[in-house]
Amino acid sequence: MKENVPLASLTTFHIGGPARYFTEAQSVEEVKETLAFARANSLSVFVLGGGSNLLVPDGGVDGVVLKMAMRDMNFESDGADTLLITGAGASWDGVVDAAGEKGIFGVENLAGIPGTVGGAVVQNIGAYGAELSNVFEYADVINKETGKISCITFREAEFAYRDSFFKKHREFVITRAVLRMGHDAAANTSYPDLERARASGVPLATPAEVAGAVRAIRAKKFPRIAEEGTAGSFFKNPLVSRELADSLAKRFVGLPLFPQENGMVKISLAWILDKELSLKGFSVGGARLYESQPLVVSARRGATAKDVDALALEVSEKVFDATGIKIEREVE
Ligand code: EPU
């Protein structure tokens, strides 16, 4: 257990103050020990994965920050499927690479997303027409308060757009995730960016080829983390009723609409920020809406959480004034 550990370099935003206490867990036993330490000292525990969807306050984090460092990864056959059993601290993109090397379909559209397997599950990461929930089988968890170990299955995991049981019930710490892959025999390339890649001759037959194409598309849309800070999309795309979507589409000609299975319609916030509000590059202090994808906030080195908060507030107000929609943060 270390004290006053700077967190900025443990996040992709490169922003934020220190953790009062910090430790890395290499095993379930070490997670249990940390939780027991926190309980004994009445400290809160924040579980850190790859820090790729976080804005750490400038004043830092009180309590214990527990970085998950269980990175084991094993494949097992289960009939025609392959199960991937992986520690919560394994790199998500490492999982995508490992599946690609074995030629297994299922996670290739989620290539290039920074962060860990645990974070990917909590957040139900999604991109290019795929979501983590498509392959999730179960996760092993430890209850922060009781130390009890249990298992949360797909049926219990309540996955929705950037949401899950784990996100709502932070008392459960994911230690291991099991993914079921290989049942999709072909690539899912229906997302417009991938359709365009195929039309221009990019090969998309194998999981590794799709992953490569997704990484190339992402490279054009996101800041390079080595140079600038970012946590990807800063806001969620709003989910609105069919009626509201239709009336917005009449006012904003060309607004992309994505009907959901539950009858709601996802509307493209990037489009509104770009085409209606001309906010590409809009900045407060060292933080700005990224020029090639304005849903993404980019932070210069030295930017503060206060800059990002102020930017987010101004953007929320502008969107509300234009549409009447209260947008929600995607970044925690
Ligand atoms: N658009 C513009 N101007 C732009 C960029 C986009 O008008 O500068 C419009 C285009 O019409 C485009 C549409 O916005 O077709 C959607 O853009 P994009 O495909 O980039 O997707 P997004 O809805 O903005 C979501 C996820 C991303 C994910 C992409 C790709 C959320 C909050 N974001 O963004 O996830 O990579 O789809 O599937 O749902 C993240 O969660 O951090 C993240 C980056």
Side-chain angles (χ1 to χ4, degrees), residues 53 126-129 161-162 191 193 218 221-222 231-233 235-237 256 266 268 270-271 274-275 280 291-295 330:
N53 203 47
Y128 303 100
Y161 171 54
R162 296 295 189 277
Y191 199 82
D193 284 335
R218 293 183 66 93
K221 289 196 182 180
F222 299 97
S233 298
F235 300 101
K236 291 187 199 175
N237 283 313
K266 195 191 275 178
S268 167
W271 189 95
D274 174 9
K275 307 288 191 309
K280 285 182 167 193
E291 287 75 7
S292 8
Q293 224 301 8
L295 196 54
E330 198 257 1

Side-chain angles (χ1 to χ4, degrees), residues 210-293:
V210 175
V214 166
R215 289 195 183 102
I217 294 165
R218 293 183 66 93
K220 293 199 186 106
K221 289 196 182 180
F222 299 97
R224 286 151 61 92
I225 291 169
E227 289 153 23
E228 290 191 76
T230 189
S233 298
F234 194 83
F235 300 101
K236 291 187 199 175
N237 283 313
L239 289 168
V240 302
S241 66
R242 185 78 243 182
E243 295 71 37
L244 180 54
D246 287 342
S247 84
L248 287 169
K250 277 199 194 108
R251 277 172 59 208
F252 305 128
V253 177
L255 173 67
L257 303 180
F258 301 93
Q260 305 292 294
E261 276 167 13
N262 63 4
M264 302 290 277
V265 180
K266 195 191 275 178
I267 60 171
S268 167
L269 184 55
W271 189 95
I272 293 172
L273 297 174
D274 174 9
K275 307 288 191 309
E276 278 306 313
L277 298 173
S278 301
L279 285 176
K280 285 182 167 193
F282 176 68
S283 70
V284 174
R288 70 181 197 285
L289 299 189
Y290 194 57
E291 287 75 7
S292 8
Q293 224 301 8

Side-chain angles (χ1 to χ4, degrees), residues 159-173:
F159 287 118
Y161 171 54
R162 296 295 189 277
D163 201 10
S164 71
F165 171 88
F166 310 99
K167 196 162 176 181
K168 290 186 281 236
H169 298 272
R170 298 314 282 263
E171 68 273 26
F172 293 103
V173 179

